[in-house]
Amino acid sequence: MKRALSAVLSLALMGLGGTALAAEDIVNTLHNLSSSAPVTNFYQTTSTASVCVFCHSPHTTTAAPKPLWNRGASAATYTMYNNTVSSTIDMTVEAQPVGVSLACLSCHDGTVAFDVLINGAGSGGFNPAGADQGWAWGVNGDLIANTRVTHLGNDLTGDHPISITYDNVADTAFNAAVAGKVGTLPLYTNRVECGSCHNPHEATNATFLRIANTASALCTTCHIK
Ligand code: HEC
Ligand code: HEC
Ligand code: HEC
Ligand code: HEC
């Protein structure tokens, strides 16, 4: 009886695990910059089939700005969306992007080549400052071009505020955060970052959104509008 119950339980758990695994599927997204991408992405190398290497390495990387991060950081100075830009910003904005936003901007500001990595694929190729792996790219090159809508550049005043401390007392038109999240959207050290709205591993919803923005459901998770 006991054994039958635990068999049922472990089947149920396997089922849950399977669902969670099926949800995140970076291989089938624009974030697969490797030769293993099943469809031809606009940006893709022929030099490696490794998917994770463009962002993570299992060893010898720095902890910042994100887990086991493998990319050389952008040296850019950004113009932030803050209360100089908009007088109705009530919350505190960092002087420069931090954390996961900095990680995203290491490609999306268009200044750091995709293959500038701390630890290249395979043995060797370790350079703590990040080094260009010299991989082969198609005619679109190894940088997000400023003709792409995905190019955010260094002026972030035309982009939703990031690296901003979520504070629904300073502005009461916001839902309360509970245990570091607003609804299911994560805050990072209580800040809104790129990762609050996007999951870089998952494109079930268009543009890697954490929740579908049907009837602006993403926006109204935070904004009371
Ligand atoms: C385009 C960049 C990019 C690629 C490629 C990428 N990741 Fe990530 N990954 C990130 C970022 C950014 C974070 C931090 C996300 C956050 O804090 O919300 C992260 C976080 C993680 C985490 C910790 C948080 C979590 O979501 O569980 C794990 C584990 C992880 N990645 C595994 C992988 C694996 C395995 C691969 C390859 C199959 C991969 N990633 C490919 C950008 C990437
Ligand atoms: C290793 C480089 C790299 C990193 C790091 C990276 N991206 Fe991307 N991302 C890309 C490329 C390349 C594309 C495709 C661009 C194109 O085709 O114009 C892309 C596309 C996107 C798109 C558009 C998807 C679509 O369907 O149109 C979004 C949204 C996006 N990235 C968000 C993020 C966020 C958020 C982060 C950080 C959590 C991040 N990216 C980190 C390289 C990167
Ligand atoms: C408050 C939520 C939110 C934050 C924070 C946010 N984004 Fe987005 N982002 C969106 C939404 C919603 C879309 C889809 C817009 C559309 O469909 O045109 C989007 C689209 C994109 C696109 C695709 C280009 C486009 O306009 O279609 C990229 C690339 C992108 N975001 C990157 C980032 C990066 C990098 C950051 C951090 C610097 C970031 N986003 C922060 C909500 C957000
Ligand atoms: C994770 C929470 C979160 C989500 C999701 C979110 N926002 Fe925001 N938004 C904020 C915060 C925090 C501010 C800064 C408010 C302040 O300082 O008063 C802000 C500011 C803004 C502003 C600027 C207001 C000003 O005073 O200049 C606009 C416009 C805006 N958001 C629109 C959107 C839209 C549209 C969406 C959906 C695509 C969205 N937001 C999704 C948290 C969020």
Side-chain angles (χ1 to χ4, degrees):
M1 184 64 191
K2 239 184 181 167
R3 201 169 351 178
L5 185 62
S6 74
V8 168
L9 267 177
S10 53
L11 272 177
L13 284 172
M14 273 165 67
L16 281 175
T19 310
L21 281 175
E24 294 207 352
D25 187 18
I26 193 170
V27 172
N28 290 303
T29 71
L30 290 173
H31 278 166
N32 185 353
L33 304 184
S34 81
S35 58
S36 67
V39 291
T40 307
N41 283 338
F42 192 79
Y43 295 109
Q44 199 171 340
T45 184
T46 49
S47 301
T48 182
S50 298
V51 182
C52 315
V53 71
F54 293 96
C55 294
H56 307 285
S57 169
H59 299 290
T60 60
T61 65
T62 55
K66 269 295 135 192
L68 303 179
W69 199 241
N70 199 26
R71 300 191 51 70
S74 172
T77 304
Y78 298 90
T79 311
M80 304 295 282
Y81 192 124
N82 57 25
N83 61 6
T84 315
V85 174
S86 166
S87 60
T88 46
I89 288 291
D90 303 300
M91 304 181 198
T92 306
V93 180
E94 299 303 302
Q96 289 292 300
V98 294
V100 64
S101 296
L102 209 53
C104 308
L105 289 166
S106 76
C107 285
H108 282 280
D109 78 355
T111 69
V112 188
F114 304 131
D115 55 351
V116 172
L117 305 178
I118 293 168
N119 189 16
S123 181
F126 172 61
N127 182 328
D132 197 317
Q133 306 298 308
W135 288 339
W137 298 83
V139 289
N140 303 318
D142 61 2
L143 281 177
I144 297 184
N146 62 9
T147 49
R148 303 293 284 174
V149 66
T150 50
H151 181 277
L152 272 60
N154 302 138
D155 181 352
L156 302 178
T157 61
D159 302 285
H160 191 281
I162 49 140
S163 301
I164 183 167
T165 299
Y166 195 83
D167 181 352
N168 67 325
V169 175
D171 185 334
T172 53
F174 284 87
N175 292 309
V178 180
K181 290 187 172 187
V182 193
T184 56
L185 304 176
L187 301 173
Y188 300 81
T189 325
N190 207 35
R191 295 187 193 99
V192 175
E193 306 288 2
C194 315
S196 300
C197 298
H198 300 279
N199 177 349
H201 308 117
E202 231 256 81
T204 306
N205 301 317
T207 62
F208 298 99
L209 291 179
R210 287 197 182 267
I211 56 176
N213 202 18
T214 315
S216 299
L218 178 81
C219 316
T220 55
T221 301
C222 294
H223 291 268
I224 302 170
K225 288 286 179 224

